[in-house]
């Protein structure tokens, strides 16, 4: 067989991970079993002691889950991948596995809302200090570092305003301080951006989004080297139990097979939508990685191979005008999920960012007229027509 390391990403996404069983199945098998049977007392003892490799119990390993882990590890270019029950479980496993009381972490302010809540309400409780910084401002990151800073955590591009950080520069800043860089690669997926190649140490995923691609299952993953991820983060799974179910792993395996095609289609439609919105008279401003008007367009072209599917825009007229766009859609789903074949729409100021004070919202750039669209795979003309209704009204 060819050396798999020479395969392109599209091929890795389809051909790696699966080890065919004696049944010669073509599609990956689902193994819905909680435990595995040993041939003898001696074999059981050897497995439990770690002397002999092999399955013991599905909290520790499951063949279908392993197929997914090996495939995603190949796609991200990491030695090791640990699959988890959700994206938040992946983030939790990284934090619990790598941090101890007295440590410090630095995080971009514009991360997924639940990640902020998890850090502030739970990780802080165990004696870990957290500093929040401006994602795009490398000086801000640098100035926040302390001798006890164990890791830096960033999400790029950010949600919903699509700000980006220079991953390579941030990795240098982290490593000069003996800290680790963790990137949440949910919005780009390995198809558009490979943070480990750029110097990041760990990638976390919410598989719930683009890896699934059709809004069916919750799941997550951590990718990195075999020591930090393969042992320290895996240890949390082994004892803490936030394992991925084999059925969900199978859905994600199927999702990975079409991921390249889908990300290209999401990106192309999102670009067309953003360009159309940018010249629309009802629109104040459009936030999208693919627009020449994006202040970091040059960095994005260097760091990502395509734009992604998230378009945000400010409608003239504030909250009333924003809600009018949402309420006049007939096809697009009003839901906060993203990465789905179905286009979704949200009004961040009153949903995902509704718990912030008006001052905090202004500081984060979440205006009352802001709308976020996660562009799906329907025909772009139908998506435009559905949005146009509320823009004309
Ligand atoms: C959704 C999301 C998460 C959390 O993932 P779940 O699978 O919902 O737990 C983390 N990070 C980002 C960027 C997300 O969009």
């Amino acid at each position: 067989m060819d050396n798999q390391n020479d395969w392109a990403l599209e091929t890795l996404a389809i051909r790696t991970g699966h080890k065919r069983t004696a049944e010669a199945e073509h599609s990956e098998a689902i193994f819905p079993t909680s435990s595995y049977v040993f041939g003898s007392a001696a074999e059981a003892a050897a497995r439990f002691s770690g002397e002999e490799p092999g399955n013991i119990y599905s909290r520790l390993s499951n063949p279908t889950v392993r197929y997914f882990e090996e495939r995603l590890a190949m796609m991200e270019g990491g030695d090791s991948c640990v699959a988890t029950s959700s994206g938040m479980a992946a983030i939790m496993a990284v934090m619990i596995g790598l941090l101890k009381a007295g440590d410090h972490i630095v995080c971009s302010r514009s991360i997924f809302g639940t990640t902020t809540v998890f850090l502030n309400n739970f990780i802080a409780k165990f004696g870990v200090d957290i500093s929040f910084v401006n994602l795009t401002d490398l000086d801000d990151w640098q100035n926040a570092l302390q001798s006890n800073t164990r890791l830096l955590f960033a999400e790029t591009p950010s949600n919903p305003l699509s700000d980006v950080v220079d991953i390579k520069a941030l990795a240098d800043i982290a490593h000069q301080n003996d800290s680790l860089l963790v990137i949440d690669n949910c919005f780009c997926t390995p198809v558009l951006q490979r943070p480990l190649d750029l110097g990041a140490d760990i990638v976390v995923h919410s598989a719930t989004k683009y890896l699934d691609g059709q809004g069916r299952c919750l799941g997550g993953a951590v990718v990195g080297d075999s020591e930090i991820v393969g042992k320290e983060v895996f240890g949390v799974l082994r004892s803490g139990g936030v394992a991925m179910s084999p059925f969900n792993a199978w859905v994600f395996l199927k999702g990975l097979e079409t991921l390249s095609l889908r990300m290209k289609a999401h990106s192309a439609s999102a670009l067309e939508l953003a360009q159309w919105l940018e010249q629309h008279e009802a629109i104040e401003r459009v936030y999208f990685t693919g627009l020449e008007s994006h202040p970091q367009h040059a960095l994005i072209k260097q760091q990502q191979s395509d734009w992604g599917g998230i378009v945000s825009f400010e409608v003239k007229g504030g909250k009333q005008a924003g809600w009018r766009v949402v309420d006049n859609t007939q096809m697009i789903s009003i839901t906060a999920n993203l990465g789905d074949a179905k286009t979704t729409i949200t009004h961040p100021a009153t949903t995902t960012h509704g718990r912030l004070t008006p001052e905090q919202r202004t500081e984060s750039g979440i205006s009352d007229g802001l709308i976020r669209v996660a562009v799906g795979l329907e025909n772009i003309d139908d998506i435009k027509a559905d949005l146009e209704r509320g823009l004309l009204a």
Side-chain angles (χ1 to χ4, degrees):
M1 192 182 281
D2 292 348
N3 183 353
Q4 298 192 346
N5 293 319
D6 295 337
W7 282 345
L9 197 81
E10 295 87 342
T11 313
L12 295 174
I14 295 169
R15 289 288 177 180
T16 58
H18 182 207
K19 299 203 179 41
R20 221 164 268 159
T21 73
E23 301 294 345
E25 73 283 359
H26 192 210
S27 174
E28 296 76 358
I30 309 179
F31 288 86
T33 181
S34 46
S35 75
Y36 304 85
V37 180
F38 311 110
S40 65
E43 187 178 66
R47 291 264 179 93
F48 271 84
S49 72
E51 218 169 282
E52 187 186 280
N55 296 318
I56 298 174
Y57 190 65
S58 278
R59 170 153 40 74
L60 282 51
S61 66
N62 175 280
T64 316
V65 175
R66 197 179 325 116
Y67 299 162
F68 168 75
E69 290 172 334
E70 287 182 10
R71 188 171 290 180
L72 187 62
M74 291 296 282
M75 292 175 71
E76 286 285 3
D79 298 329
S80 203
C81 173
V82 172
T84 56
S85 55
S86 69
M88 289 318 303
I91 292 168
M92 181 178 78
V94 167
M95 301 296 171
I96 291 182
L98 303 182
L99 298 171
K100 61 178 188 317
D103 281 347
H104 171 245
I105 66 176
V106 185
C107 229
S108 56
R109 218 168 265 122
S110 52
I111 52 173
F112 186 62
T114 310
T115 308
T116 312
V117 173
F118 173 67
L119 294 173
N120 282 334
N121 293 9
F122 299 98
I123 289 300
K125 202 166 67 168
F126 295 95
V128 174
D129 274 340
I130 305 152
S131 303
F132 290 96
V133 298
N134 179 347
L135 175 71
T136 60
D137 185 348
L138 292 172
D139 289 337
D140 212 8
W141 287 95
Q142 180 76 57
N143 293 336
L145 295 181
Q146 303 175 7
S147 59
N148 59 341
T149 304
R150 175 84 169 116
L151 56 87
L152 283 63
F153 186 96
E155 212 176 286
T156 180
S158 71
N159 178 22
L161 299 180
S162 293
D163 288 328
V164 301
V165 69
D166 184 335
I167 296 175
K168 208 180 243 171
L170 193 58
D172 286 343
I173 289 173
H175 296 155
Q176 274 161 23
N177 197 60
D178 283 331
S179 313
L180 300 170
L181 176 61
V182 184
I183 298 287
D184 184 330
N185 203 24
C186 173
F187 286 86
C188 275
T189 82
V191 172
L192 306 190
Q193 167 174 286
R194 299 220 314 174
L196 300 179
D197 291 349
L198 299 169
D201 301 282
I202 296 172
V203 165
V204 294
H205 269 290
S206 169
T208 314
K209 313 292 169 51
Y210 290 104
L211 304 194
D212 175 322
Q214 295 179 50
R216 296 161 292 191
C217 291
L218 281 177
V222 185
V223 189
D225 72 16
S226 48
E227 195 55 39
I228 294 172
V229 172
K231 293 209 175 104
E232 293 180 60
V233 176
F234 173 65
V236 179
L237 269 283
R238 194 183 166 109
S239 307
V242 286
M244 178 181 282
S245 89
F247 175 77
N248 289 9
W250 182 82
V251 171
F252 298 135
L253 277 163
K254 297 289 114 186
L256 290 180
E257 292 180 7
T258 58
L259 185 63
S260 284
L261 284 175
R262 288 186 287 108
M263 292 313 289
K264 283 177 194 130
H266 283 297
S267 299
S269 286
L271 178 62
E272 191 173 333
L273 182 69
Q275 285 170 339
W276 173 73
L277 287 167
E278 200 171 39
Q279 51 74 47
H280 199 291
E281 60 187 9
I283 304 295
E284 192 84 51
R285 182 166 171 193
V286 183
Y287 301 85
F288 181 63
T289 48
L291 292 176
E292 302 275 347
S293 59
H294 191 297
Q296 298 171 293
H297 190 63
L299 169 63
I300 294 163
K301 279 209 283 204
Q302 212 173 35
Q303 181 160 287
Q304 301 180 198
S305 64
D306 214 331
W307 314 122
I310 309 296
V311 177
S312 294
F313 53 95
E314 268 165 34
V315 190
K316 289 178 187 163
K319 178 184 153 187
Q320 206 186 355
W323 276 26
R324 193 174 56 212
V325 174
V326 174
D327 288 336
N328 274 286
T329 57
Q330 294 172 3
M331 175 189 79
I332 297 174
S333 316
I334 307 172
T335 176
N337 196 35
L338 59 94
D340 198 306
K342 299 183 173 87
T343 298
T344 66
I345 190 166
T346 52
H347 181 252
T350 52
T351 57
T352 50
H353 295 69
R355 278 179 295 180
L356 301 183
T357 64
E359 294 73 35
Q360 285 171 323
R361 273 200 295 277
T362 306
E363 200 186 320
S364 317
I366 310 295
S367 68
D368 288 342
L370 188 75
I371 297 292
R372 187 199 72 187
V373 173
V375 182
L377 302 177
E378 305 95 339
N379 187 290
I380 184 62
D381 293 335
D382 294 323
I383 298 172
K384 282 186 199 166
D386 208 31
L387 289 170
E388 177 84 68
R389 257 188 289 279
L391 292 172
L392 288 177

